[in-house]
Amino acid sequence: MEEPQNDSNGTSDNGEIDLSHHLSGEARIRVANPSKDILRVISECSVTDLISMANGDPHHSLYPIRQIMYEVPSVQDAPDPVTSWRNNSGLTQIMRSYKDQECALSIRDAFPYSRAAGIKQCRDVVTDFTKLIFAPPNHHVILTLGNSDGVAKVFRLFGEKGDHFLTDEFSYTGMTNCPLPYGVKWVGVKMDSGGIIPEELERVLVNWDEVKSGRRPHVLYIVPVGQNPTGSTLSVDRRKKVYSIAQTWDLIIIEDDPYYFLQYDIPQTNCAPTDTDESIKNFRSTLIPTFLSMDVDGRVLRTDTFSKVLAPGMRLGWITSNKIFHQKLADFTDSSSQPPHAFGQIFVTEMLSENGWKVEGFCRWLKSLRLDYQSRRDFLLDVFRREVEPTGYAGAKCPEAGMFVWIEVFFEKHPRFVREQYSGDSPVVARTNTEHLLKELFERLMNSQGVVFIPASTFAIPENPLWVESDGHVPLSDRTRFLRATFAGTEDTIEKGMIRLGKGLREFFQN
């Protein structure tokens, strides 16, 4: 049994833990983009009438845009702005950005080339929002092209060829595929309905054999709220245990939280606070504490996005991290993707400014949005109980957050279900034909019933016998007995989908 190796952390003069040893070789040798770094020097110059002959972007007088107007719901005058907006029954508000008139972020300031962290006005309002909602201790914000861009960059920050990263045993492959080409492999940690199991995480780290498997994992990637695909949400107790394990074993935590504001079953209060600060504080109190809010070491990098609460095509998000990691991410961005596009940054800046929704208004929108999604979730589960549950072939638990219901299919009831005794060979080799039946069910539902769900096998992290226990272990391929269903659609779509699922299960199990 290995001992925890947390003695590699140095401590700086101001008491912060030095976590730079986690950086990849690529991140260590990456240097600041000289042409962007000089912009920083220029911006810090105190000369009031400084004339710049240094820039290489078109003059703002040549931008063929004089005004940008956004028509948005009025969040101040409607108790449920999302429903009013969807039904086209509420008041609207106009937000504008001008080239030559006063506004929160002018076209003149938004469209030149900018530095990696994002346009200052946008970065400032996002930073203020982050501080109000998450209260991170001594962290810095950099804008991204949404969470996919942010997480991909963070993987590059820490991943070396031959490394193993930790994650949920069922994870969104759009992200876990990302570091595979540069030699990072995944170790799936067992989950239950409450998400990743802290004791299983610690077991993997304790039993890791560096001779056989290489360097012990030093990165944990996790979606703690409304996890995709399972819909699970980590409790506060589990978060504390996971963070403690990260401190003991010197892990970096990548907290990817796109569904954070879609948390459900929040008790509603009858009286709304009249004070703005109190209103924001009350909203924050309804949300589960984040890993970022617990992070006293600087070992959490949190990725947030506007994709799930405004629109995916905005491609605008942000990473919150310690100063060292923030600078390395900025160096990477300055020499690769560059900051997000100006249109999205203008919208967010105006939205969170005094002339827009402000933070309080945005919180109002988020509260209304989660009620809308909660209603869709409840509708799906009601139809499921009516159309699917009576078949006896499937069940579903109510997710606390997110957009997905994880439907369990009882394949052991199928007449062609096969289970073999464990012969003492590899503990990860399938002993049932669950995966085969799942594939067959997926194809039948699609081709015969005209309804599509994502099978659990799509999200399963491949197992390795080196890091599982032989005694009592059930291979992951025998536990891929789930279908992922979304409740983000209309009630008509949801109802038709559940009716077709019920019919398809009856036909499948009776054949």
Side-chain angles (χ1 to χ4, degrees):
M1 180 182 297
E2 295 289 338
E3 292 296 322
Q5 295 185 355
N6 57 1
D7 57 350
S8 57
N9 297 335
T11 304
S12 63
D13 294 336
N14 60 8
E16 294 180 0
I17 293 178
D18 181 6
L19 297 166
S20 60
H21 58 278
H22 284 283
L23 293 171
S24 66
E26 175 191 355
R28 290 172 189 272
I29 64 174
R30 188 181 294 280
V31 296
N33 182 334
S35 62
K36 290 299 182 78
D37 197 46
I38 201 167
L39 292 178
R40 175 188 58 78
V41 176
I42 295 171
S43 69
E44 295 171 355
C45 177
S46 60
V47 177
T48 55
D49 62 342
L50 185 69
I51 295 176
S52 176
M53 304 290 291
N55 57 300
D57 48 332
H59 191 263
H60 62 78
S61 62
L62 302 178
Y63 301 162
I65 306 169
R66 182 171 293 132
Q67 179 185 165
I68 298 173
M69 182 187 78
Y70 300 98
E71 184 176 6
V72 299
S74 173
V75 296
Q76 302 297 332
D77 304 306
D80 185 5
V82 170
T83 299
S84 299
W85 177 255
R86 185 160 41 81
N87 296 337
N88 200 27
S89 61
L91 299 176
T92 62
Q93 177 180 353
I94 303 297
M95 302 188 308
R96 288 184 172 89
S97 175
Y98 303 97
K99 189 170 79 170
D100 299 313
Q101 298 181 43
E102 185 177 348
C103 54
L105 176 55
S106 71
I107 292 170
R108 179 183 297 201
D109 291 337
F111 281 90
Y113 293 124
S114 62
R115 292 165 57 202
I119 302 166
K120 182 182 184 303
Q121 294 92 323
C122 185
R123 192 175 73 251
D124 285 349
V125 296
V126 171
T127 298
D128 289 343
F129 177 75
T130 300
K131 288 178 178 177
L132 285 170
I133 301 300
F134 306 124
N138 193 29
H139 283 63
H140 303 263
V141 165
I142 183 170
L143 302 184
T144 66
L145 297 164
N147 271 22
S148 295
D149 172 58
V151 173
K153 286 173 177 171
V154 174
F155 287 163
R156 291 276 291 271
L157 199 65
F158 301 116
E160 300 272 18
K161 184 176 182 179
D163 274 354
H164 293 82
F165 285 180
L166 300 153
T167 192
D168 300 297
E169 62 182 352
F170 291 105
S171 289
Y172 176 55
T173 48
M175 293 318 311
T176 56
N177 271 9
C178 182
L180 298 180
Y182 47 94
V184 172
K185 299 178 181 179
W186 288 100
V187 179
V189 181
K190 280 187 180 179
M191 309 172 67
D192 59 16
S193 59
I196 198 169
I197 303 170
E199 292 75 15
E200 290 294 329
L201 172 63
E202 189 160 39
R203 182 192 61 76
V204 171
L205 292 165
V206 168
N207 295 330
W208 191 266
D209 187 335
E210 292 195 334
V211 174
K212 294 180 179 179
S213 302
R215 179 164 70 148
R216 181 182 288 102
H218 69 116
V219 173
L220 169 64
Y221 168 69
I222 192 166
V223 180
V225 175
Q227 196 259 1
N228 183 6
T230 68
S232 61
T233 296
L234 279 182
S235 66
V236 174
D237 181 62
R238 287 198 180 187
R239 288 166 192 258
K240 290 179 178 178
K241 288 179 178 177
V242 169
Y243 190 80
S244 177
I245 291 168
Q247 288 182 304
T248 300
W249 291 93
D250 190 25
L251 298 179
I252 294 296
I253 298 176
I254 304 172
E255 182 179 26
D256 182 10
D257 225 351
Y259 307 101
Y260 182 73
F261 295 108
L262 302 182
Q263 299 179 41
Y264 310 129
D265 305 312
I266 309 295
Q268 301 298 308
T269 57
N270 294 325
C271 54
T274 55
D275 180 75
T276 297
D277 292 339
E278 190 67 23
S279 175
I280 296 170
K281 182 179 178 182
N282 284 357
F283 173 67
R284 185 178 64 198
S285 69
T286 67
L287 302 169
I288 194 165
T290 62
F291 282 111
L292 181 66
S293 66
M294 303 175 183
D295 186 25
V296 294
D297 296 344
R299 63 180 66 254
V300 174
L301 292 91
R302 178 180 170 85
T303 61
D304 284 282
T305 180
F306 292 104
S307 293
K308 302 299 188 291
V309 296
L310 292 177
M314 283 191 66
R315 305 319 306 150
L316 185 60
W318 69 100
I319 302 170
T320 312
S321 69
N322 70 36
K323 186 176 182 179
I324 293 175
F325 297 159
H326 170 84
Q327 187 56 54
K328 287 297 183 181
L329 287 166
D331 291 344
F332 184 12
T333 300
D334 267 339
S335 296
S336 58
S337 65
Q338 306 296 311
H341 58 87
F343 291 102
Q345 293 195 64
I346 287 174
F347 179 84
V348 167
T349 306
E350 297 293 343
M351 178 189 73
L352 293 175
S353 74
E354 287 297 316
N355 295 324
W357 285 353
K358 299 180 280 193
V359 171
E360 181 194 11
F362 185 43
C363 292
R364 215 182 261 260
W365 173 261
L366 294 173
K367 286 192 287 186
S368 180
L369 187 68
R370 70 186 181 189
L371 286 175
D372 190 277
Y373 275 108
Q374 178 177 316
S375 175
R376 294 167 192 251
R377 177 205 65 178
D378 293 345
F379 182 78
L380 184 149
L381 292 173
D382 285 344
V383 182
F384 182 90
R385 284 188 281 267
R386 188 188 78 212
E387 299 291 339
V388 181
E389 205 170 77
T391 68
Y393 299 132
K397 293 184 178 179
C398 180
E400 299 174 28
M403 292 181 171
F404 307 112
V405 172
W406 197 228
I407 299 173
E408 183 177 9
V409 182
F410 308 137
F411 288 111
E412 68 274 10
K413 295 184 178 182
H414 197 281
R416 289 187 281 112
F417 179 77
V418 176
R419 186 191 303 276
E420 299 176 354
Q421 288 293 111
Y422 178 48
S423 61
D425 295 331
S426 172
V428 303
V429 173
R431 296 164 221 163
T432 73
N433 61 340
T434 295
E435 207 162 20
H436 172 78
L437 291 173
L438 177 69
K439 182 175 183 293
E440 184 180 332
L441 175 62
F442 164 77
E443 292 174 347
R444 284 210 194 181
L445 288 172
M446 179 174 61
N447 297 322
S448 299
Q449 301 300 328
V451 63
V452 175
F453 303 89
I454 305 296
S457 54
T458 304
F459 307 102
I461 300 295
E463 289 185 302
N464 188 311
L466 291 176
W467 54 74
V468 303
E469 290 184 341
S470 299
D471 295 340
H473 178 73
V474 178
L476 187 59
S477 54
D478 291 337
R479 291 183 280 123
T480 56
R481 43 192 284 137
F482 298 90
L483 298 169
R484 193 198 73 178
T486 180
F487 50 86
T490 64
E491 289 190 352
D492 180 62
T493 298
I494 291 169
E495 184 161 29
K496 287 179 180 177
M498 290 298 104
I499 291 172
R500 294 180 185 187
L501 174 61
K503 182 181 178 183
L505 285 171
R506 286 186 177 92
E507 292 183 3
F508 177 72
F509 276 81
Q510 291 168 9
N511 184 353

